[in-house]
Amino acid sequence: MKQFDNMGASLAAFAIRKPVTLCMFFFSMLLMGLLASRLLPLEKFPGIDIPQLVVQVPYKDASPAEVERMITKPVEEALATLSGIKRMTSTSNEDRAEIFLEFAWDENISAKSIEAREQIDAIRDELPQDVERVLVYKFNTNDMPIFQLRISSERDLSNAYDLLERNLKMPIERVPGVSKVELYGVLKKQIAIRLDSNRIAALHVDVNELSKTLRDANFSMSAGHIEDLNQKIMVNPQGEFRSKQEIEDLIVRRGIHLKDIADINYESPKRTEGRHLDRSYAIGLNIFRESTSNLVEVSQAVLDVIDQANDNPAFNGIKLFIMQDEADSVTESLSDLLQAGLIGALLSVLVLYGFLRQWTSTLIVVLSVPFSICIALACMYFMGYSLNILSMMGLMLAVGMLVDNAVVVTESIFHEKESEPDAIKATKAGVSKVSLAVIAGTATTAIVFLPNIIGTKVNVTVFLEHVAIAICISLFASLLIAQTLIPLLTSRLKPRRKQNDRGPGRFRRLYQSALHWTLAHQGKTALIALGILISTAIPMGVVSSDQDNENPNNQLWLNYNIQGNYSLEEVEKEVDRMEAYLYANQQRFHIKQVYSYYNTGHAVSGITLNDELPIKQNKIKEMIKEDFPSFVRAKPSFSWNQQNGGVRLTLLGQSSEVLMEMADRIVPVLKSVPGLTDVRADISADKEELQILVDRQKAFRFGISAEDVANVVTTALRGNNLRTFRHGDTGEVDIRLMFDENLQHSVEALKNLTVKRSETQNVTLDMLADIRIVPRLSEIRRYHRQTALAIGANLEEVATLEQARKGIENIMANIELPAGYSWTLDGSFRNQNENESVMQINMLLAVCMIYIVMAALFESLLLPTAVITSLLFSFTGVFWAFLLTGTSMSIMGMIGMLILMGIVVNNGIVLVDRVNQLIDEGYKATDAIIEGCLNRVRPILMTVATTILGLIPLALGGTQIGGDGPPYSPMAIAIIGGLLFSTLTSLLLLPLTYLLLLKLRQKTGQMIANSKALVSRISGA
């Protein structure tokens, strides 16, 4: 203990001896911090690798069963050999197979993506030959688009690709810091070679041979080099199409040109999806930034380009709408945090002046805030961190705590000056007496984050690391300032005049009498303390463990649940009908705007509500549902809460048909669970497929294979992509070989499709195969290599996850499932279980770490035991605060409790450390306790007041993480409630606990001494 006291005195002596050196050091740190605040990358979230991989295998126009059999299952088997997989899910539909892998947070996701590619390459020969590519995606928080733009117009935008690319997409791509721009909803024109089936049949042209001829005619290759005249010259045979005319004049066969059997034109590819914005067709534009660029600067530069486009006459009648601007939400969140921090800092200054009654000493103490924050910013810059909402949250939380060390040191120095006329000696003595206490207090505040940094990783702990870094660096900076700069400046001040018996003196007398009563009536006080702890059960039984059930970004998602296999035009009509209903009631439903997305089997509308809502979101949802128009092709319902995953029950088994039968029985029963709404099975509408069953014997007689038949049908319906060619300013232009559109709309025309010309006749498709239409699933989902089906729901406003869990478990316990089938809770249940269990373990580890640090620093087991009891009362305060404010126990609340644990013990450390010093000076235990408490009650109240007042703006305001995430208020309420309650109780109960432990140690020592004496007498006898 002495070495820490001496170290503090030595630092103070150095500061007093070298004032210019010390001032220049801190001035340089201030400048570095200000410079770092400009150089630090500004972003919403820090660049973190998300431990997820998505393997996507595009395979157009195949049935989900076929995709599952030929692609999904082989890929799943290959990927299952990867280590560390927590979850594997897959989706097979008519366009592609998607396999989703989730790993633990401590896995190297870059290495896993390489392993996944290697495993897929090893089975590439098992996949269908016409699988063109396998895509493996990994994600980083920096990979999300920073800007989402929607383009709508009353005029037709289907041919606007070139306009948008030249005047919007390409200028944005040239903005410094922009890495990629995605334009979707409008497609680049292609050259369509549409074969006329009648002409092909009449001229006896073989489609498969024609496809090969077209591929061979459009090529570019390197043929090596020749050496002539001492020069090495590359040889490059050119066989590329140079114009549309060359394609038309291509000789297919002697006397037959391509234009004789096909119509060759520029045309836009057929739309497969659509978007509406304010009831007008919309086009999407996503902008991504480079990871090292400044988010706000890039966003502003993109906005300038958009403004220039709006001024362009070519964009007359075109509306550019900013759907999402990450920079806007970040600046809003950061400005809210900054505003809350400034208000908190101002309140802290006022309360400090109220205690110190001297502006000079108040400003000296407050100096630790800007200096500590600047040092933290400089360190973050050199350590490679960014300035984001998490690091800002850490700095914001630290503002109220940064003056704690300075307050304790200043108070101790002033106390010594009252009895020591020599200012230098008084300063050294004052610092020495509290040096150990402030070091222990800072260490315990920082150590609570250690289990989150080195322990089990979940999304909360990974992001919490960035909060911890900001808090810890600034706190250790404040410790350094309190040991050096504060003593230097305080030594120059005149001694504080002694207070009279009014004001604080009255509180001192009241506190002294309360202490005397507490120590004199130990049994009654112990019963009161026990009653306080038992009372925790009351709020614990009422406060729910839940996530926020409201969408904080004022956006509702409406899923249409399309009931059947309808064309894009038919689905668009349903969307138009819903949008007409919503806009007819725009004022009543408080709607700001509606954005819709739809394809042939799916449609969803995003309803953005006004910023200030007079009623709850759930009430608006009920109002919208009450007057839903009737739909023939859709059963609209609100989508499950995407913020936390919604309430999900996953059924597992082998057969999709059995799972759907089970869902039909379970969904009606789950609708009876109180608090659940929008209950439905996550089943896409069934579709139909036209199966072509080739008769192999007939095909053999005509010299045709089943593959030849499949290739011709594929060309007729899906088309074949040929090699692109370069055309002027438009660059690469796709060439696509396909039949006329009549074939795609008529089964009879398809039956009469000529597959091959035999010696005497045209062989049509119906001569070789049976054609029939059968129903099929639109997609097949699998979970851990089992077929899966999800049942989901939303929570009503009054319901909690815990209540929903109990209701679902009670119902499922009474439902008998077929053999080999099971169910599991997913979505928010899984997320909450993982996060809360890890946070609870980390909180227990944090208590152990706090005890270990205090025991090591104080070289005592008694003192930490006394101080640690204040944690129990702080938790009581947290739950009562949650009950009184109507706050649920969420992850943000648990983070607040974690930070609270490090703060609460500081008061006890300062208190008990002074009592120990007085006992060492010869005071009796009771007198030392009373005198120590009276000496330290003032700095304790000052530090508690500054911390609480610094957090009040966050507790009362609506500031949210990132501007659209969870609110900060539960965290602030937890810290304020726990700190306030534990301070009020610890000032009386902690001294009693310490006295009882001293008595216990004395009695234990006497018992051991008596035992030793007895053993000595027995052995001597």
Side-chain angles (χ1 to χ4, degrees), residues 658-720:
V658 175
L659 290 175
M660 286 189 285
E661 291 175 3
M662 291 166 55
D664 290 339
R665 290 189 290 120
I666 294 172
V667 168
V669 185
L670 288 181
K671 287 182 178 178
S672 64
V673 176
L676 292 187
T677 182
D678 301 320
V679 182
R680 60 180 174 84
D682 192 12
I683 304 173
S684 299
D686 287 344
K687 295 187 177 182
E688 294 178 335
E689 70 176 28
L690 188 145
Q691 292 183 348
I692 300 173
L693 305 177
V694 178
D695 188 319
R696 297 183 184 276
Q697 292 183 353
K698 291 180 181 179
F700 179 77
R701 284 201 300 269
F702 289 110
I704 301 173
S705 68
E707 185 179 4
D708 293 333
V709 176
N711 289 335
V712 172
V713 174
T714 298
T715 304
L717 299 180
R718 186 169 63 184
N720 284 335

Side-chain angles (χ1 to χ4, degrees), residues 211-231:
S211 179
K212 183 176 183 301
T213 300
L214 284 168
R215 285 193 173 91
D216 293 342
N218 187 28
F219 71 92
S220 177
M221 62 182 291
S222 176
H225 63 272
I226 61 172
E227 294 184 6
D228 188 26
L229 300 177
N230 298 322
Q231 290 184 339

Side-chain angles (χ1 to χ4, degrees), residues 190-485:
Q190 63 183 11
I191 289 184
I193 304 174
R194 291 199 172 272
L195 302 175
D196 187 310
S197 56
N198 294 326
R199 288 188 235 169
I200 284 180
L203 295 174
H204 307 162
V205 176
D206 187 288
V207 176
N208 290 329
E209 291 181 4
L210 174 62
S211 179
K212 183 176 183 301
T213 300
L214 284 168
R215 285 193 173 91
D216 293 342
N218 187 28
F219 71 92
S220 177
M221 62 182 291
S222 176
H225 63 272
I226 61 172
E227 294 184 6
D228 188 26
L229 300 177
N230 298 322
Q231 290 184 339
K232 186 176 182 179
I233 303 173
M234 290 292 299
V235 178
N236 187 5
Q238 294 287 329
E240 295 177 308
F241 292 134
R242 293 182 177 85
S243 68
K244 176 171 167 283
Q245 185 65 41
E246 284 191 14
I247 301 174
E248 292 176 343
D249 294 338
L250 177 69
I251 298 175
V252 177
R253 215 171 59 196
R254 178 175 295 180
I256 301 176
H257 295 270
L258 184 60
K259 63 184 178 183
D260 296 331
I261 59 172
D263 294 325
I264 299 106
N265 294 299
Y266 283 102
E267 65 178 50
S268 296
K270 187 178 179 180
R271 272 201 303 136
T272 59
E273 61 183 12
R275 294 167 180 81
H276 283 184
L277 177 65
D278 287 334
R279 304 185 68 185
S280 298
Y281 184 79
I283 295 169
L285 199 73
N286 287 346
I287 296 103
F288 299 81
R289 73 179 180 94
E290 297 171 355
S291 58
T292 56
S293 61
N294 186 293
L295 171 65
V296 176
E297 292 177 359
V298 173
S299 178
Q300 186 57 51
V302 171
L303 280 173
D304 293 340
V305 175
I306 294 172
D307 291 338
Q308 293 173 11
N310 278 323
D311 296 336
N312 190 333
F315 279 78
N316 288 340
I318 297 178
K319 179 182 177 183
L320 304 179
F321 170 73
I322 299 168
M323 187 173 180
Q324 182 176 354
D325 182 2
E326 291 292 346
D328 186 52
S329 63
V330 169
T331 51
E332 180 185 355
S333 178
L334 293 182
S335 62
D336 287 347
L337 277 175
L338 187 61
Q339 182 181 2
L342 290 174
I343 295 173
L346 179 62
L347 293 174
S348 299
V349 170
L350 294 177
V351 77
L352 284 174
Y353 177 74
F355 277 96
L356 296 174
R357 299 288 180 177
Q358 191 178 18
W359 278 114
T360 310
S361 56
T362 300
L363 292 177
I364 288 174
V365 170
V366 172
L367 265 181
S368 58
V369 176
F371 276 97
S372 299
I373 289 178
C374 285
I375 291 173
L377 290 174
C379 292
M380 287 167 59
Y381 175 74
F382 289 112
M383 293 169 67
Y385 286 91
S386 64
L387 192 61
N388 51 71
I389 58 174
L390 297 176
S391 55
M392 277 295 291
M393 183 174 82
L395 294 174
M396 169 62 209
L397 291 171
V399 165
M401 298 184 277
L402 293 179
V403 298
D404 290 3
N405 292 332
V407 164
V408 173
V409 170
T410 303
E411 275 294 299
S412 180
I413 292 172
F414 280 145
H415 186 266
E416 290 299 318
K417 281 185 175 182
E418 292 177 359
S419 57
E420 174 58 62
D422 189 334
I424 303 299
K425 289 183 179 178
T427 300
K428 292 179 181 179
V431 174
S432 176
K433 286 188 176 180
V434 295
S435 182
L436 179 62
V438 294
I439 291 173
T442 304
T444 52
T445 303
I447 203 70
V448 296
F449 295 105
L450 188 61
N452 292 279
I453 295 174
I454 65 173
T456 303
K457 300 291 186 182
V458 293
N459 55 353
V460 174
T461 59
V462 169
F463 286 97
L464 195 59
E465 176 184 343
H466 295 263
V467 180
I469 291 295
I471 291 178
C472 294
I473 294 176
S474 56
L475 283 180
F476 282 113
S478 75
L479 175 63
L480 178 64
I481 293 168
Q483 300 271 22
T484 53
L485 186 61

